[in-house]
């Protein structure tokens, strides 16, 4: 099925039927925590997004008010424990939330269009071209009954109407680009004949087929051997740099994030608790949860110093009234148990190029920051 | 592949042997004296005696059994006392009619059952889904001879759309085939529905959605090939079922197949024909199963013959 607006210039092309649905852009000034320093407008933008299960997505809220800008040329990392809502956030950007889950409040904007009320057909046109996704487990993500080449070429054939032979040639070329050796031969092989790393390369090739404006990578290295993780990360970073697309890297692994991302957003219990340029957040974490995550990463320079975060994150529906992290937090006070702190820019921070200022949702960020620089130890 | 087939063939021989033994015992355990049926109720004791010895009926059972197996190995199932001539030839002459009927029933079941199941899987829990699952229960609860008669009354008598019995036209196969397939259409639809739902929830279906592939293509192409194995398995069983179920349906519709032949043979204690018919049905089951096993390898690239 040929789709008319799939040319190579799709990112620059005006979208004819958006005027009616286009919302007034939220002004950056009125947007509280964020100021956008980038010239280019985000390729995807989340504002106050709530995602939940049941009813109107409000009976079991999992994601509660997430703001996120995905800017061309930047890699943004979304970090958090499993269950923090980071994968749901990514799936919401694809319109692929699992059955029963839905965006309850807030807006998911892709390419300047609010996707609220999008039909299946409207979503299908965005997928692959505006947003594409690399999934966690490449074995499960590939169809066991079709050759890898067929699965990559299918996107070209169905979405661009590319002929069989041309699609095959382009696919082989694409497979080479993502570092699959002997691509001619591998084209005809089935997923079970691929190694784990090669499978993930194939999944990446599939996501890149239509030259997407935004690439969502959901734990792209988690299911892989440690030895190939670095290769896959290098590949993703290289493709992102070459194409200038925006990338959202969803990960629980701060080491992975540090290699690839420029901006980072830390999620806890469905909220972004800290965000900013990677360097700022890593060198001076202002949220005790971020601090804890960084302390829990083994540091070869300081062996033996590995501090776990006690306790478990609260399950959706069992979140405390105040700050969700309060029960596990060494800094928590009475205020924390009653008032959920908003995400606010740190006074001393400098505006970042894309995500804007280093912002944190903590009543005691001053104390956390002070500890980070070693001037104060929490009581 | 060769070793795998040899293994399956050896298993098939065991199954066939078991079936033959069972039939031999059951046919002879049924009350009634074949000799009396052959010569008629007014026959003298002497006539009965001579018929018994002609047909080997006065031999001890183990002897009859050994002779019987020996005959089968030579391809000789004995003669039909009613029809004259070899029982096997009589049976095989009727077999194509049964095969035609069973195939027509299979085509109907597949052509209606698979799309119906896919539609149910598209909207589980909605009206169509509920209708199909209730309907399939009802379909399986209805006795097929009754269903056959109802269909004859409706389509042949009242509406006069279709012939009720064999009249030489190809349309004659429709009513008996429909009677055979109706109980299994809903059953197949439910199997397709549950397999499609299970497979459709897998990650690879989400990957296809992420590529912008339309839902119908995902169902029939991406999911379709992955549910082909369970579906082909039951289609093999169904075909065997249809051949066996034809026994009753053929009588209702006077269909000149192996089923009506067998019912005749049973009522008349025509042992040789009963055994030939059951042997034919058993062998077709076995061949179908073998065929299904081979089809697996064609469908599933992950299977190698060593997996068998």
């Amino acid at each position: 099925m040929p789709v008319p607006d799939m040319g190579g210039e799709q990112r620059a092309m005006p979208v004819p039927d958006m005027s009616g649905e286009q919302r007034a852009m939220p002004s950056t000034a009125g947007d509280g925590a964020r100021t956008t320093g980038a010239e280019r407008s985000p390729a995807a933008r989340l504002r106050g997004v709530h995602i939940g299960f049941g009813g109107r997505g409000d009976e079991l809220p999992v994601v509660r008010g997430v703001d996120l800008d995905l800017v061309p040329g930047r890699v943004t990392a979304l970090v958090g424990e499993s269950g923090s809502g980071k994968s749901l956030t990514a799936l919401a950007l694809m319109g692929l939330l699992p059955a029963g889950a839905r965006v309850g409040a807030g807006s998911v904007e892709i390419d300047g269009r609010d996707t609220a009320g999008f039909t299946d057909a409207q979503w299908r046109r965005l997928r692959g071209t505006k947003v594409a996704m690399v999934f966690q487990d490449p074995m499960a993500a590939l169809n066991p009954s079709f050759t890898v080449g067929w699965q990559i070429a299918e996107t070209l054939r169905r979405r661009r109407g590319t002929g069989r032979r041309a699609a095959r040639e382009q696919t082989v070329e694409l497979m080479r680009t993502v570092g699959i050796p002997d691509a001619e031969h591998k084209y005809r092989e089935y997923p079970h004949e691929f190694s784990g790393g090669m499978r993930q390369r194939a999944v990446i090739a599939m996501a890149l087929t239509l030259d997407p404006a935004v690439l969502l990578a959901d734990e792209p290295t988690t299911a892989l051997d440690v030895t190939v993780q670095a290769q896959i990360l290098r590949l993703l970073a290289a493709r992102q740099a070459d194409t200038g697309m925006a990338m959202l890297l969803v990960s629980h692994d701060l080491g992975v994030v540090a290699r690839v991302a420029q901006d980072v957003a830390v999620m806890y219990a469905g909220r972004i608790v800290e965000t900013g340029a990677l360097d700022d957040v890593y060198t001076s974490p202002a949220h005790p949860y971020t601090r804890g995550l960084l302390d829990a990463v083994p540091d070869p320079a300081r062996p033996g110093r590995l501090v776990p975060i006690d306790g478990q994150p609260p399950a959706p529906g069992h979140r405390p009234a105040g700050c969700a992290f309060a029960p596990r937090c060494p800094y928590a006070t009475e205020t924390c148990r009653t008032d959920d702190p908003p995400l606010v820019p740190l006074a001393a921070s400098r505006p970042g190029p894309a995500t804007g200022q280093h912002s944190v949702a903590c009543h005691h960020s001053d104390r956390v920051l002070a500890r980070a620089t070693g001037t104060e130890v929490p009581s | 592949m060769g070793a795998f087939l040899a293994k399956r063939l050896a298993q098939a021989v065991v199954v066939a042997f078991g079936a033959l033994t069972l039939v031999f015992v059951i046919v002879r355990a049924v009350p009634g004296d074949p000799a009396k049926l052959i010569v008629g109720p007014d026959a003298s004791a002497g006539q009965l005696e001579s018929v018994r010895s002609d047909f080997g009926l006065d031999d001890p059972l183990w002897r009859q059994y050994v002779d019987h197996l020996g005959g089968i190995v030579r391809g000789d199932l004995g003669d039909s006392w009613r029809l004259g001539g070899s029982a096997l030839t009589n049976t095989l002459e009727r077999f194509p009619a049964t095969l035609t009927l069973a195939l027509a029933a299979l085509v109907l079941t597949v052509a209606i059952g698979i799309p119906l199941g896919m539609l149910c899987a598209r909207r589980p829990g909605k009206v169509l889904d509920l209708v199909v699952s209730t309907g399939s229960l009802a379909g399986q609860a209805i006795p097929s001879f009754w269903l056959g008669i109802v269909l004859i009354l409706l389509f042949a008598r009242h509406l006069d759309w279709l012939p009720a019995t064999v009249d030489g036209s190809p349309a004659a196969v429709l009513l008996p085939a429909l009677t055979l397939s109706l109980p299994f259409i809903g059953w197949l639809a439910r199997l397709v529905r549950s397999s499609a739902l299970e497979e459709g929830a897998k990650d690879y279906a989400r990957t296809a959605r992420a590529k912008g592939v339309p839902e119908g293509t995902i169902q029939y192409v991406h999911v379709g090939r992955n549910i082909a194995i369970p579906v082909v398995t039951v289609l093999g069983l169904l075909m065997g079922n249809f051949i066996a179920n034809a026994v009753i349906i053929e009588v209702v519709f006077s269909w000149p197949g192996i089923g009506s032949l067998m019912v005749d043979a049973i009522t008349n204690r025509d042992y040789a024909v009963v055994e030939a018919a059951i042997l034919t049905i058993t062998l077709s089951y076995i061949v179908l199963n073998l065929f299904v096993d081979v089809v697996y390898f064609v469908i599933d690239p992950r299977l190698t013959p060593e997996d068998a």
Side-chain angles (χ1 to χ4, degrees), chain B residues 248-295:
Chain B
I248 296 160
I249 304 302
E250 286 181 5
V251 175
V252 174
F253 288 91
S254 318
W255 188 261
I258 204 171
S260 49
L261 174 78
M262 192 160 81
V263 170
D264 266 1
I266 291 171
T267 5
N268 293 297
R269 301 292 179 281
D270 197 352
Y271 290 167
V273 173
V274 175
E275 280 159 6
I278 291 179
L279 181 66
T280 312
I281 291 173
T282 311
L283 285 182
S284 24
Y285 247 107
I286 290 168
V287 168
L288 280 168
N289 273 317
L290 220 54
F291 178 70
V292 165
D293 284 337
V294 173
V295 169

Side-chain angles (χ1 to χ4, degrees), chain A residues 94 124 127 135 140-141 143-146 151 154-155 158-159 190 192, chain B residues 203-204 206-207 209-214 217 221-222 225-226 301-302:
Chain A
M94 291 293 289
R124 270 204 303 279
R127 293 180 193 144
F135 297 97
N143 193 323
S145 298
F146 292 88
Q151 295 184 53
E154 185 192 23
T155 316
R158 290 198 205 286
R159 299 293 301 282
Y190 288 90
H192 72 274
Chain B
D203 282 4
Y204 70 76
R206 186 178 64 183
T207 309
R209 280 180 201 112
K211 293 195 292 188
V213 177
T217 313
V221 179
H222 294 252
R225 192 176 287 189
N226 285 291
R302 285 163 298 181

Side-chain angles (χ1 to χ4, degrees), chain A residues 1 13 21 46 103 129 169 225 297 299 336 341 353 371:
Chain A
M1 185 182 63
M13 282 177 74
E21 291 167 291
L46 300 182
V103 175
T129 54
E169 278 161 22
D225 287 347
V297 175
D299 182 355
C336 301
R371 198 209 138 193

Side-chain angles (χ1 to χ4, degrees), chain A residues 1-64:
Chain A
M1 185 182 63
V3 180
D5 61 345
M6 296 297 157
E9 301 296 311
Q10 76 266 41
R11 252 171 257 161
M13 282 177 74
V15 184
D17 59 336
M18 63 186 270
S19 51
E21 291 167 291
Q22 192 174 30
R23 283 193 176 180
M25 294 284 178
S27 72
T28 42
D31 214 14
R34 288 163 174 256
T35 43
T36 303
E39 295 291 319
R40 281 185 284 185
S41 60
R45 183 206 296 262
L46 300 182
R47 282 295 172 268
V49 167
H50 287 68
I51 304 169
F53 290 85
R56 292 204 169 82
D58 48 6
E59 280 173 26
L60 196 63
V62 180
V63 172
R64 306 173 296 158

